[in-house]
């Protein structure tokens, strides 16, 4: 028997955005500095997915609490402070300078250039 085409129920699974598994593997392999078993890597993928979901939920809660619809750098700094990554001895700018490449640092940290201009403009 044929099933009618317009049954009204979608059979497609809803896709959620996710971090590329190759990126997770490269980052994890860089810090582990040894080969990773396939089954162990699957667990690392699941953990990183849950971590990023929780991270985005926390950032959303912080921006909602402030009455905004946009996540700002201050929200990220509060989250990193609660996680213990940003402290009085280790400010956010030091972490940015230490771990991000120059092209990203230029986007996040204001720099004075010739002509008395500050980049990035706020």
């Amino acid at each position: 028997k044929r099933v009618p085409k317009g049954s009204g129920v979608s059979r497609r699974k809803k896709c959620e955005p996710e971090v590329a598994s190759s990126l997770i593997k490269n980052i994890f392999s860089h810090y582990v500095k040894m080969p990773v078993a396939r089954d162990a890597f699957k667990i690392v993928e699941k953990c990183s997915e849950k971590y990023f979901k929780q991270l985005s939920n926390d950032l959303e809660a912080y921006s909602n609490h402030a009455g905004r619809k946009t996540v700002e750098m201050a929200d990220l700094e509060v989250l990193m402070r609660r996680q213990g990554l940003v402290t009085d001895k280790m400010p956010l700018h030091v972490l940015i300078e230490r771990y991000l490449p120059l092209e990203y640092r230029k986007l996040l940290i204001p720099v004075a250039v010739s002509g008395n201009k500050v980049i990035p403009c706020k």
Side-chain angles (χ1 to χ4, degrees), residues 15 27 107 114:
C15 291
I27 293 170
L107 295 172
S114 65

Side-chain angles (χ1 to χ4, degrees), residues 61-70:
Y62 293 156
S63 62
N64 285 339
H65 179 72
R68 289 182 271 105
K69 292 186 178 184
T70 305

Side-chain angles (χ1 to χ4, degrees), residues 45-91:
E45 273 187 316
K46 286 181 183 179
C47 291
S48 62
E49 180 183 332
K50 288 183 181 187
Y51 172 76
F52 283 115
K53 263 188 189 176
Q54 185 63 46
L55 189 80
S56 60
N57 288 340
D58 289 346
L59 287 171
E60 182 182 7
Y62 293 156
S63 62
N64 285 339
H65 179 72
R68 289 182 271 105
K69 292 186 178 184
T70 305
V71 175
E72 294 182 356
M73 191 166 169
D75 300 325
L76 185 64
E77 191 168 357
V78 168
L79 177 66
M80 292 177 79
R81 198 171 280 280
R82 291 200 58 176
Q83 290 179 340
L85 298 171
V86 173
T87 61
D88 292 335
K89 293 181 181 179
M90 182 66 67

Side-chain angles (χ1 to χ4, degrees), residues 23-40:
L23 177 63
I24 294 171
K25 185 175 184 177
N26 286 340
I27 293 170
F28 189 70
S29 298
H30 171 76
Y31 287 106
V32 173
K33 294 182 171 84
M34 63 176 47
V36 180
R38 206 173 271 200
D39 56 342

